[in-house]
Amino acid sequence: MDWQTFAQFALSGLSTGCIYALVALGFVLCANATGVINFAAGEYVMIGGLVAASLAGKGLPLPLAVGAAIVAGAALGLLQERLTLAPIRSAPSFLRITVTLGFAIVLRGAALLLWDKDPYPLAGFSSDGVFEFLGAVLVWQVAWIWALTALTLLLLYCLLMRTPWGRAIRACADNALAARLMGIDPVLVGMIVFAASGAIGALGGAAIAPITLASWSTGIEFGLKGFIGALIAGFSSPLRAVAGGLAIGVAETFAAGYVSSGSREIVIYSLLIVVLIASSGLLRRGRKPLTAAGQH
Amino acid sequence: MLGSTRTQEVIGFAIAVAILLVVPWIVSTDYLIGVGITIGLMAIAASGLILLVGYAHQLALGQAAFCIVGGYGSGLLTVRAGIDPALAAILSCAVSMILAYLIGRPILLLRGFVLAMGSLAVQLVLISLAVELVDITGGSMGLTGVPRFSVLGFVFASDTSYYYLVWTLALFTVVICRNIDRSRIGRALRAIAATEAGAASVGIDIDRHKVQMFVLSAGFASVAGSLTAHYLRIMEPQVFSINFSLNMLIAVIVGGLWSPWGGVVGALALSALREALRILALPLVELLIVGIVTVAVLMLMPGGLMGALARLMRRGATQITEASEATPETAHLPSIAPAVGAGQLLLEIEGLSRAFGSLKAVDDVSFTVREGSITALIGPNGAGKTTMFNLLCGYERIDRGSVRFAGSSIENWNADRIARHGIARTFQIVQLFQGMSVLENVMCGRNRFARTSLMSVVFRLPSLRAEEQVTREKALAALALVDLSDYAHADPSALPFGLQRQVELARMLVLEPKLILMDEPASGLNDSETERLGQLILRIRAAGTTVLIVEHDMRLVMGLADHVVVMNRGGKLAEGAPDLVRVRPDVVAAYLGEPVA
């Protein structure tokens, strides 16, 4: 196989992979700190793309439009936590997780009502030209995606490792009960992680919109791939989740690139199923044993 | 669980049948009959989700994958191969169920709602396949020429006749859901939902039960798919879209996840909402409203419409007391598994170790338990006693060492398998199944003796009823043994703590174990309760069951045990007869914290 095609596939895979990585981050943050698998995580990508694209289309400067998308993501994340999760904090986890599915439908329904079915274009963040890297030809937006993902990771790292909020989040992820006994407020932690995952997803949506267009129905796919990215990384640390998301992105472009474009979807989703089944074999060995004390 | 009596069930069913029979006489327009058929088809598929989501607590975002298998299966078999529609539907259903098994078996081993996304991926593959394989499926133009449905030559030529067929099947799915809910499988699933650790301790195979529900629900979805293809007479890839999957889920949430009627009621309610919005000419708002309704139902009345109805009826009716059970006159111990041979080694632990990071919770411990003995495992707090129990019962991974029990090496078996093999345990923190009566809790313990098939549960065959009767009697006998006969129908969480322990004990006894592991059974008991517990343990042993007990109450331990094993800081400190162990200086030092000389 020739190097140029390989590099082309690998590097463009890394760009969509970045978005999956951001969604995977959202999944892992919420799941570890609050025990809730947020099935609305992919919808924030959709919201971010639509907010940025429609505001930029109305003539707002691009940085402001993207900023507004991030703020919208954070606000909706906060709203999700406050309205649909905080009131049922003591309900069985099955219910709290199912509610996130309902909220995903609310977000999708709201998007359909506000933006209708037509996809929205968004101009590239800098030039619409291309650059060459390791023999691959890539649009400049790809570089933006990499840079923004890296920046997000850096900021998140600072949040988690350098601030008291971050300590609280990590404590909750480690042992929610012990954290609460130490006076850490689980309400605050829940609000932070949901707002953060909303903002992170929305940023991803704004960043990918110039390449894929923004549309009300794209959230499911980002959610699915981000989820599997998080899963193959064992739903554990944020960094591994990012690696998982990137891996899904690269695997997807390879699978799609080396087969005919018609069966692209079939190959991609079959691959996801294979990954799921294979990871069940892998993860099973390290499967969390049934905790006798964990009564709920 | 919702406490509806048999009379209420029969009346409810009769009302439903009457309404469904009458509808075609009142609404004469083809459009409305068509709506009725569509609702019925959705109800069939949604009832499957009652089993999967409601009973097994597993979300599936792509459940319509199996509608696609059913629809295209029936379409292709009838159009391309000329097979009889009824046979084609049955074959497609079998394919769906096999597919569900192949996917569900590995994926359901993963905790944490992985099936939700896994099924979505499956559905996306199937939709793409249907679009791409143009030569076979007709691609996005659809597979045309699907014949009308027929059974043994009888063609359902009119929409009205098809309406009756679809709704007969829909009601049948309700009956199946109800049969499962009332059976050992329903109890096992509720036990799993309440506490997986507790469920495993009575030998319930968690993964197997979830897979069973997934396979059955796939069958329901497949039948709905087949009947849809024969109704539309054409099968297109977009008939069963992601939206259809979500609608199925929303239907059961709104209808009531924990009622056999949830699928039917939800399909009706959702369709009514949609028609209302259509009349108001607000198509774009629909998704938003449906989403808001879903969230609101989950938060405000998680039992859905049927749950709300059940609450209303309970408020209206006075407490209905079930006919009192005939308590077996002679309450004797349940028959105990045949002995390996008195005094022989039943449990042999060799070099067992488990570390958590740098903490060696159990470090190279060896001891044996003789058949028919009462062995006590004692030691100060943090000695590793509970970890030892968790290792023996499969609740923690073993790092090193071996465990032989009644001739088998059981190290690193799953907890439920160990329980089925004859080791029963109680927990330091009582693990009862909330939402079930005391009797049902104990009946869960008989799960490992179930010999009837899934099919006999689904159709509630006489063999299943006979088995249920035996289960009930054994459970009542065990309750009598621990003096809880009066509380058989009580809610266990309403009982005082001491009695909750007794329930757990009864649940363990009906397992008919060879070895019983009790983790601090006397903690939280008062003096007289402790004394009763001691007598009970002696009776259990007298009936031939070996007992291994972790306990801090030294009076109890020294009075009961034939053999004492002392642990300290993860290691074994001493073992021997109680009188000898008690006076050893190192044992005293470990308890009192004095330096060992």
Side-chain angles (χ1 to χ4, degrees), chain B residues 575-596:
Chain B
E575 92 179 285
D579 292 342
L580 298 178
V581 167
R582 185 162 48 178
V583 293
R584 280 180 58 150
D586 49 354
V587 173
V588 175
Y591 267 91
L592 300 180
E594 287 166 20
V596 183

Side-chain angles (χ1 to χ4, degrees), chain B residues 248-410:
Chain B
M248 280 162 72
L249 255 179
I250 295 164
V252 290
I253 289 169
V254 172
L257 284 170
W258 297 292
S259 161
W261 287 99
V264 168
V265 171
L268 276 167
L270 214 58
S271 175
L273 179 66
R274 187 156 304 136
E275 289 296 308
L277 290 172
R278 198 181 57 84
I279 291 165
L280 294 171
L282 296 166
L284 282 181
V285 203
E286 184 187 313
L287 194 59
L288 180 60
I289 291 182
V290 165
I292 291 172
V293 167
T294 309
V295 171
V297 167
L298 282 169
M299 292 180 67
L300 303 176
M301 48 177 209
L305 291 171
M306 285 307 291
L309 180 70
R311 249 203 323 267
L312 272 179
M313 282 168 53
R314 225 168 321 164
R315 198 176 300 163
T318 50
Q319 194 75 36
I320 302 157
T321 44
E322 270 187 53
S324 64
E325 307 286 337
T327 312
E329 286 188 5
T330 48
H332 46 83
L333 272 166
S335 61
I336 300 291
V340 174
Q344 288 193 339
L345 293 180
L346 182 64
L347 181 71
E348 298 163 71
I349 296 160
E350 185 73 39
L352 207 61
S353 300
R354 171 71 165 133
F356 299 104
S358 60
L359 173 74
K360 288 175 177 169
V362 171
D363 187 20
D364 195 24
V365 175
S366 308
F367 66 91
T368 55
V369 174
R370 287 196 176 275
E371 174 98 44
S373 70
I374 295 178
T375 304
L377 185 59
I378 63 169
N381 280 326
K385 306 180 299 288
T386 296
T387 305
M388 173 61 82
F389 266 25
N390 285 340
L391 293 175
L392 293 181
C393 296
Y395 288 82
E396 292 282 1
R397 211 183 61 243
I398 293 171
D399 287 341
R400 258 176 302 113
S402 69
V403 183
R404 285 187 68 76
F405 172 71
S408 315
S409 290
I410 60 165

Side-chain angles (χ1 to χ4, degrees), chain A residues 1 47 55 78 85 93 105 107 113 124 142 197 199 202 225 237 258:
Chain A
M1 121 178 83
I47 294 284
L55 287 181
L78 199 62
L85 290 166
S93 64
I105 297 167
L107 286 181
L113 188 63
V142 167
S197 79
K225 290 169 185 170
S237 78
Y258 285 111

